[in-house]
Amino acid sequence: MEHYNMNLTLKVWRQKNAESKGHFETFHVKDISSEMSFLEMFDVLNERLVNEGKDPITFDHDCREGICGACSMYVDGRAHGPWQKNTVCQLHMRAYKDGDTIVVEPWRADSFPVIKDLMVDRSAFDRIIEAGGFISTNTGNAVDANAIPVDRFISEEAFDAAACIGCGACVAACPNGSAMLFVSAKVSQLALLPQGNPERKTRVENMVQQMDKEGFGNCGNIHNCEAECPKGISVRNIARLNKELLRAGLTSETVK
Ligand code: SF4
Ligand code: FES
């Protein structure tokens, strides 16, 4: 595709902290290359704001390669912007044309309070992981890879679930603010594999208990989460989470 430059209007959500109200601020950016990433476009704008002695726009980012899940924001009302199965850092300006207006907002979810501008606090996800998103194993020599045979279909399912990057788009896209897709992916990736078996029951109970404690809503089978997930995590995992929870409840394990 031909490279081109464009002038754009940005309407960006500005908010000092979780307590303050917030408002949209309009910026005009010039000569933006179609080859820039969306975050690079913000870098150009922020450099200008700093040079003008103004407060730069706060946004979260880390890898800029679609693997860390930090670059959470709404672009024109879509979680992670207009491209399917894509993160904002991997959204490129060729998605836009000269003269476009782009509206950028933070995740809107009670469990993800705004830290500043476009950056939200997703530590609720960390606490859910701490509640059970791990396996306990003795250290020592690495076990031979072939020692525990795993069915090909099962390993593929576990790998697909493990692709979740914890970005929170599923919560932001859900009218109930449900974290079921995230939690189900994290439960599934371990429940499917033999290594996850010893803590299988307590894991699902503790993670769901923590999810409820954090104030995430219930799943309403709307499936916005799957549609907006940058990693294509399937709602099949939610069915598996419910099954795992039922299975745990039918046995006598005690919740820690
Ligand atoms: S399930 Fe998808 S949308 Fe939700 S946190 Fe994981 S990667 Fe992000
Ligand atoms: S910055 Fe890491 S996924 Fe976007």
Side-chain angles (χ1 to χ4, degrees):
M1 199 186 193
E2 278 287 295
H3 155 256
Y4 58 97
N5 280 7
M6 65 196 111
N7 298 336
L8 299 163
T9 301
L10 297 175
K11 290 183 188 296
V12 183
W13 187 258
R14 306 302 307 265
Q15 188 172 336
K16 278 202 173 73
N17 51 46
E19 284 73 44
S20 63
K21 248 185 134 195
H23 62 279
F24 281 105
E25 189 171 351
T26 303
F27 300 94
H28 299 285
V29 284
K30 289 196 170 115
D31 287 329
I32 296 298
S33 163
S34 57
E35 293 188 355
M36 276 180 192
S37 75
F38 200 79
L39 297 188
E40 282 168 342
M41 182 268 298
F42 264 130
D43 292 339
V44 169
L45 172 59
N46 273 347
E47 201 175 325
R48 191 188 91 196
L49 292 175
V50 169
N51 286 338
E52 290 171 354
K54 293 180 183 155
D55 192 18
I57 297 157
T58 300
F59 60 93
D60 213 351
H61 62 101
D62 188 1
C63 70
R64 297 198 177 203
E65 290 180 343
I67 53 176
C68 77
C71 56
S72 47
M73 60 183 86
Y74 274 114
V75 182
D76 287 336
R78 295 281 311 274
H80 287 296
W83 288 353
Q84 286 296 108
K85 295 189 186 167
N86 193 64
T87 53
V88 164
C89 60
Q90 293 294 293
L91 174 62
H92 279 73
M93 296 314 293
R94 61 179 178 274
Y96 300 95
K97 54 183 190 323
D98 189 35
D100 275 356
T101 297
I102 309 171
V103 181
V104 194
E105 299 166 80
W107 285 166
R108 307 280 189 192
D110 290 346
S111 304
F112 293 154
V114 170
I115 294 172
K116 195 177 175 205
D117 297 338
L118 304 173
M119 182 190 259
V120 300
D121 179 357
R122 286 176 297 123
S123 58
F125 271 11
D126 297 337
R127 291 187 289 274
I128 293 173
I129 295 295
E130 279 168 26
F134 51 82
I135 60 159
S136 304
T137 185
N138 293 330
T139 54
N141 289 343
V143 182
D144 186 274
N146 296 321
I148 311 171
V150 180
D151 179 273
R152 167 85 193 275
F153 172 77
I154 300 290
S155 65
E156 295 272 338
E157 276 283 294
F159 191 80
D160 286 350
C164 166
I165 54 174
C167 65
C170 45
V171 175
C174 175
N176 299 335
S178 169
M180 287 287 271
L181 195 66
F182 165 76
V183 176
S184 70
K186 297 300 177 191
V187 164
S188 291
Q189 73 181 39
L190 301 174
L192 282 162
L193 298 175
Q195 292 89 339
N197 247 322
E199 288 142 314
R200 190 169 170 182
K201 292 178 224 166
T202 48
R203 174 182 306 115
V204 66
E205 288 178 329
N206 291 340
M207 289 179 81
V208 167
Q209 195 179 69
Q210 188 64 34
M211 174 181 83
D212 292 342
K213 209 164 133 190
E214 298 291 347
F216 292 104
N218 292 324
C219 174
N221 288 317
I222 299 162
H223 297 182
N224 280 7
C225 53
E226 184 185 85
E228 296 295 74
C229 173
K231 296 297 162 183
I233 301 294
S234 165
V235 292
R236 269 198 321 275
N237 290 295
I238 296 182
R240 186 179 297 111
L241 173 67
N242 288 330
K243 201 174 83 188
E244 287 292 317
L245 197 58
L246 188 66
R247 183 180 183 274
L250 290 172
T251 58
S252 56
E253 286 280 345
T254 321
V255 180
K256 275 185 216 158

